[in-house]
Amino acid sequence: MRLALDISSQWYPDRPAEPTDASDEQELPWTTANSVALQLPTMRLLDFSSAVEGPPLLVCAPYALHRAKIADLAHGHSLMAALQEAGTARLYLTDWRSATPEMRYFSIDTFLSDLNVAVDTIGPPVDLAGLCQGGWLSLLYAARFPDKVRRLVLAGSPVDVSVPSELSRMVASLPQQSFEAMVRQGEGIVSGEHMLQVWSLPFNLLDVEAALQRRLDGKSEDARVLLDRFTRWNDETLDLPGTYYLEVTDWIFRQNRIAAGDFVALGRKIDLAAVTLPVFLLAAEKDIVVPPDQAFATMRLLGTPPAWLQCDTEPCGHLGLFVGCMALTGPWRRIARWLQSDLDEATGGRARISA
């Protein structure tokens, strides 16, 4: 079993972006140039903008096992670059920090609070695009601060886990005490390296090709660099705060509190029926982590008018949604156009795509 089923990377850029701080020197370099807009206890807010005007888009990376570079893996396989090329001028990314002992009591509320600071720094209202588990965090934020989010994108995002998946079945099959034991073993921190051993399987060339949606010559220099880059990315795991980890496994994946209407975010119970902003849902047809039925089950929980709900699928596995060349030039281009369109309330809220 693995959380990341078909992850990959691509070639190094011709001229990699400079490291955004000294800690990056030992890490895989970013593909697309960016700067650090804000340093917070939970994240660095990275700025990929090419202009100072226009509606801002904040991409919320998953805080689970791997680093946020899944959104900027390589040339031709970078979501951030694809969004730039599709006309997104103001663009940001949450680069979540690996947990330190001082972070062991950080909770979901802690991450929501810092996400709120990031949004205030960018300047609300923002568009939010949540990737995988960054999706449920983005949805909670949009429900908690409805005036600060203009539109919401949920890509491969688990929300209603009553619709089964391999991930939800796996979590349900284990007693919560086993997750608590993992936290105790790490003295309040869940080791990313340990999670990688538990959840991940070895990758081969076919796995990489499936995620990239691209055939590779396994003997070529490009393929060697690609596999080396992927290996480095796969090895750069994130440690998680124990409190956050237990809340996610119990509240999100065992009790299904978000879908059930029982989740309390920063002191307020979340009612998804009160979420009425435009939402775009993206799913992968071959996804066993968040299958389409689960990804699209979120629609029936929202109060968004039907004309403001959009959905799309891509014939790939889970993380192919974020690095696949066809996914980035297909549904993500449509998402970018949708974010840039006008919603004409006089015609029932249909999106009018601008030239």
Side-chain angles (χ1 to χ4, degrees):
M1 185 72 62
R2 64 191 179 205
L3 290 179
L5 292 169
D6 57 352
I7 319 168
S8 61
S9 81
Q10 182 51 292
W11 299 266
Y12 285 103
D14 296 332
R15 185 169 64 86
E18 292 296 323
T20 45
D21 70 17
S23 65
D24 274 346
E25 293 177 359
Q26 302 302 317
E27 296 178 3
L28 191 65
W30 292 90
T31 299
T32 307
N34 64 82
S35 61
V36 178
L38 185 66
Q39 301 262 11
L40 292 170
T42 63
M43 74 161 104
R44 294 180 310 170
L45 176 64
L46 300 186
D47 187 349
F48 289 77
S49 301
S50 59
V52 296
E53 299 294 334
L57 171 59
L58 173 57
V59 177
C60 188
Y63 188 50
L65 179 60
H66 290 100
R67 293 184 177 273
K69 291 188 180 80
I70 190 59
D72 191 45
L73 213 50
H75 277 313
H77 301 277
S78 165
L79 173 59
M80 305 308 286
L83 291 168
Q84 284 182 342
E85 293 165 4
T88 306
R90 296 184 62 200
L91 182 61
Y92 301 84
L93 176 67
T94 60
D95 182 23
W96 302 112
R97 296 182 181 277
S98 189
T100 62
E102 294 75 21
M103 296 169 63
R104 63 188 180 275
Y105 297 121
F106 282 14
S107 65
I108 293 175
D109 270 0
T110 309
F111 289 85
L112 284 171
S113 295
D114 276 8
L115 188 59
N116 188 44
V117 173
V119 169
D120 284 346
T121 299
I122 295 168
V126 304
D127 296 332
L128 267 181
L131 313 183
C132 186
Q133 294 201 53
W136 59 254
L137 188 69
S138 297
L139 179 58
L140 286 177
Y141 181 84
R144 182 62 179 82
F145 299 101
D147 294 335
K148 293 187 177 185
V149 181
R150 191 182 74 110
R151 301 187 195 180
L152 179 64
V153 178
L154 303 177
S157 301
V159 175
D160 186 359
V161 298
S162 68
V163 180
S165 69
E166 291 291 339
L167 176 59
S168 59
R169 288 191 189 98
M170 178 277 301
V171 175
S173 70
L174 297 174
Q176 187 66 10
Q177 290 86 343
S178 63
F179 299 107
E180 294 169 356
M182 187 181 297
V183 173
R184 287 195 301 271
Q185 183 180 1
E187 297 182 345
I189 298 296
V190 180
S191 163
E193 183 176 350
H194 179 66
M195 286 190 291
L196 186 67
Q197 295 171 353
V198 171
W199 307 128
S200 187
L201 292 175
F203 293 92
N204 57 38
L205 184 60
L206 292 178
D207 294 323
V208 175
E209 288 181 334
L212 290 175
Q213 299 177 315
R214 182 188 297 258
R215 291 296 302 274
L216 299 173
D217 177 4
K219 298 180 181 179
S220 71
E221 178 65 12
D222 284 340
R224 186 197 66 77
V225 172
L226 171 108
L227 292 172
D228 176 70
R229 185 170 172 85
F230 163 70
T231 300
R232 287 182 61 188
W233 178 85
N234 191 51
D235 289 343
E236 288 179 4
T237 56
L238 288 171
D239 297 340
L240 301 182
T243 298
Y244 169 87
Y245 184 72
L246 293 178
E247 288 177 352
V248 171
T249 55
D250 190 26
W251 296 355
I252 307 295
F253 288 101
R254 295 174 64 83
Q255 298 185 38
N256 201 25
R257 286 192 185 183
I258 299 177
D262 294 328
F263 197 98
V264 177
L266 295 172
R268 182 175 299 171
K269 183 173 285 191
I270 296 301
D271 178 11
L272 294 186
V275 175
T276 59
L277 76 165
V279 179
F280 196 118
L281 298 105
L282 178 62
E285 292 178 3
K286 302 175 184 178
D287 196 342
I288 65 173
V289 177
V290 186
D293 285 351
Q294 186 182 92
F296 293 148
T298 305
M299 287 191 293
R300 68 171 182 262
L301 304 173
L302 303 175
T304 300
W308 285 6
L309 281 172
Q310 301 285 331
C311 61
D312 204 349
T313 59
E314 176 65 21
C316 64
H318 183 61
L319 291 181
L321 284 180
F322 318 125
V323 298
C325 60
M326 290 184 287
L328 296 178
T329 58
W332 279 107
R333 290 286 180 90
R334 291 191 287 276
I335 287 171
R337 291 196 299 269
W338 176 78
L339 290 172
Q340 296 160 27
S341 68
D342 295 325
L343 294 179
D344 189 352
E345 294 181 358
T347 59
R350 295 184 180 275
R352 205 171 50 231
I353 305 299
S354 57

